Amino acid sequence: MTDKVCGVQGQTVHPGKDARIERERRFLLAEAPAPSAVTVTWKITDRYLVGTRLRLRRAERSDGGRELKLTQKVPVARPGAIQGLITNTYLSPAEYALLASLPAAVLTKTRSSVPPLGVDVFDGHLQGLVLAEAEFTTDEEAQSFMPPPECVAEVTYDARFTGGLLVETSPQDLLQWLAEYGLRPTIP
């Protein structure tokens, strides 16, 4: 697989023990899921490290659990649900604190597990965006997936709805993009 994004033209990256293929489909929702449908909730802070393909994530579960990790996503231009390659490294609090001192663009969201979807309700400048993802282990699973009726539109192929681009999106642009899909959220 060859990276065609993020200024690393021509670099070849291969799936293996460290990088896995990321298969997912993304959908817009008109509203957050009903609390009765949610199995687990995470409060997530993503720090996209400036000038890199790296994302530093702090995720705190509603039950008190916490994950700190550094992620590299290498996108690929390929049709289908394959988004690219992903590598995760889990961090200690000290490692996280050191990396969190680097310049970054930040977004926050609440992720609710509503099987088979993970539903993100965004905060801050992305308030009004509700984005669901379903992940798959095979191409066949991804192709045969039938999204639940609360999924308003599929945005798997719309790169504007990826974290690395959303983090730099203005509220005005976001509202325009949502309107293209027939969504007009009320922003307080």
Side-chain angles (χ1 to χ4, degrees):
M1 295 187 174
T2 303
D3 179 19
K4 299 186 187 321
V5 182
C6 302
V8 192
Q9 194 91 5
Q11 178 183 347
T12 302
V13 180
H14 301 282
K17 68 176 185 154
D18 296 323
R20 69 173 173 80
I21 294 173
E22 181 180 41
R23 289 179 184 85
E24 68 181 19
R25 289 177 58 190
R26 292 184 303 277
F27 306 90
L28 292 174
L29 279 66
E31 59 189 13
S36 61
V38 176
T39 59
V40 177
T41 302
W42 297 81
K43 182 66 179 168
I44 296 174
T45 301
D46 283 337
R47 301 178 53 81
Y48 290 84
L49 301 181
V50 174
T52 75
R53 298 176 295 200
L54 302 175
R55 179 189 71 202
L56 187 61
R57 173 169 284 178
R58 178 184 193 95
E60 297 176 334
R61 277 194 322 260
S62 53
D63 66 4
R66 179 176 64 177
E67 283 185 1
L68 305 171
K69 63 184 174 179
L70 180 65
T71 300
Q72 179 189 48
K73 290 189 173 194
V74 179
V76 294
R78 180 178 161 183
I82 292 182
Q83 302 298 304
L85 296 174
I86 185 169
T87 305
N88 287 307
T89 301
Y90 291 87
L91 304 172
S92 70
E95 292 166 332
Y96 178 88
L98 177 66
L99 292 170
S101 69
L102 297 172
V106 179
L107 67 78
T108 59
K109 59 190 177 183
T110 300
R111 174 168 293 165
S112 298
S113 180
V114 184
L117 302 173
V119 179
D120 293 335
V121 177
F122 289 80
D123 301 322
H125 73 284
L126 297 174
Q127 191 170 6
L129 176 60
V130 181
L131 191 60
E133 295 180 351
E135 293 188 3
F136 310 94
T137 55
T138 67
D139 290 339
E140 294 76 25
E141 287 177 0
Q143 291 167 358
S144 65
F145 179 72
M146 296 300 293
E150 60 268 20
C151 295
V152 174
E154 183 163 2
V155 291
T156 299
Y157 306 106
D158 190 335
R160 298 176 297 182
F161 293 96
T162 58
L165 293 178
L166 284 170
V167 73
E168 297 178 351
T169 299
S170 72
Q172 297 80 14
D173 284 344
L174 177 62
L175 289 174
Q176 180 182 335
W177 298 347
L178 292 174
E180 291 174 20
Y181 288 98
L183 294 171
R184 290 177 171 65
T186 304
I187 308 296

